[in-house]
Amino acid sequence: MFIKVPYGISYTVMYVSWFFFVVSLSLASSSIMACKKAQNKPEWENLMLAQLWPPTFCMSQKDLHSRACNPANLTKWIIHGLWPIKDIPGHVTDCLPQQTFDSAKIKDIEKDLNRTWPCLVTSLPYTWIWQHEWCEHGSCAQVSPELQGEAKYFRKTIDLHNNFSIDMALKSASIIPGNDYYLSNITNAIYDTFKVYPDVMCTSVQGKRFLSEIRICFEKDFTLRKRCYSSNQMTFENDFNCSTKYPINYPK
């Protein structure tokens, strides 16, 4: 249903690609929507929790006049997704058997989802991000008993987001929005809190790099992994767009 992008591409670039594909779709009157493109076996080793900083995403959208971005009242890190991954860079997506997305199944946690996992693009249906994440990533997580079905998948992701709070980890290291920090300051803050090495994503706007996303990983039993991948094949400079030499802005 959505365009695949390489692992290192930022959330902003992914959202841009998805947007121009889905704007042509109208919101169905039914709460049930078919997931498309299911084609892969749900074979994966670990889980990646990606958490997003809304102001960075929204500031990068100013030149896209066809839609509005709404970070209003979003002063905390939010969920991007919970993704099954293999022990090599990349995601396992769009898995068999074919799934559907039924918003009625998560109606009782909709308030929590709007708070922790909102759709930032106001011209899209507010359920769009949940439909996308369920169809592309949740479909592959169904081999895990704790993630079977929409209700379990979304509830577990919210629990992980709450239990492994990026807001708390950064604040504990006196890292607050509106200032510049070195990448080592950010990674050390996450390590000191959770004893893991995170993947930190940045977004470039007019030549300056802004903190965009922080990802940590889990085993299938939801114990933390020291690193997302056994071999350190990714580099912050080339794959995550974060400078290891110059400060990164953590915008308000």
Side-chain angles (χ1 to χ4, degrees), residues 24-69:
S24 61
L25 302 178
S26 60
L27 181 62
S29 58
S30 170
S31 67
I32 302 175
M33 301 180 188
C35 296
K36 298 180 181 179
K37 198 176 67 170
Q39 55 190 320
N40 299 310
K41 294 180 180 179
E43 297 174 347
W44 48 274
E45 286 86 35
N46 309 307
L47 289 159
M48 173 179 284
L49 176 65
Q51 300 185 66
L52 169 74
W53 183 237
T56 299
F57 171 74
C58 289
M59 71 158 44
S60 68
Q61 306 306 300
K62 292 180 179 179
D63 61 333
L64 300 176
H65 303 295
S66 59
R67 71 186 193 274
C69 185

Side-chain angles (χ1 to χ4, degrees), residues 64-83:
L64 300 176
H65 303 295
S66 59
R67 71 186 193 274
C69 185
N70 182 19
N73 301 319
L74 293 175
T75 58
K76 295 182 180 295
W77 286 72
I78 63 172
I79 300 167
H80 181 178
L82 181 67
W83 306 330

Side-chain angles (χ1 to χ4, degrees), residues 61-194:
Q61 306 306 300
K62 292 180 179 179
D63 61 333
L64 300 176
H65 303 295
S66 59
R67 71 186 193 274
C69 185
N70 182 19
N73 301 319
L74 293 175
T75 58
K76 295 182 180 295
W77 286 72
I78 63 172
I79 300 167
H80 181 178
L82 181 67
W83 306 330
I85 62 172
K86 294 188 176 182
D87 198 23
I88 55 174
H91 303 143
V92 182
T93 60
D94 306 298
C95 289
L96 297 165
Q98 187 75 36
Q99 300 288 326
T100 59
F101 172 77
D102 185 355
S103 60
K105 292 182 177 179
I106 53 174
K107 194 69 178 176
D108 62 331
I109 59 170
E110 191 171 284
K111 183 177 180 180
D112 287 336
L113 285 168
N114 278 318
R115 176 178 56 83
T116 63
W117 205 337
C119 182
L120 295 178
V121 180
T122 57
S123 58
L124 294 177
Y126 71 94
T127 59
W128 173 81
I129 186 64
W130 310 332
Q131 178 188 351
H132 166 74
E133 291 297 321
W134 168 254
C135 289
E136 184 156 313
H137 302 288
S139 65
C140 298
Q142 297 308 288
V143 293
S144 170
E146 293 188 67
L147 299 173
Q148 284 180 356
E150 288 178 48
K152 285 187 176 181
Y153 174 75
F154 286 104
R155 283 195 183 100
K156 185 65 176 181
T157 306
I158 291 173
D159 287 345
L160 292 173
H161 168 72
N162 291 335
N163 292 336
F164 299 95
S165 167
I166 299 300
D167 292 288
M168 180 269 292
L170 295 181
K171 286 178 182 177
S172 68
S174 299
I175 296 176
I176 57 176
N179 296 289
D180 290 347
Y181 299 96
Y182 286 98
L183 179 62
S184 59
N185 300 138
I186 298 166
T187 56
N188 288 342
I190 302 301
Y191 184 84
D192 289 344
T193 303
F194 303 126

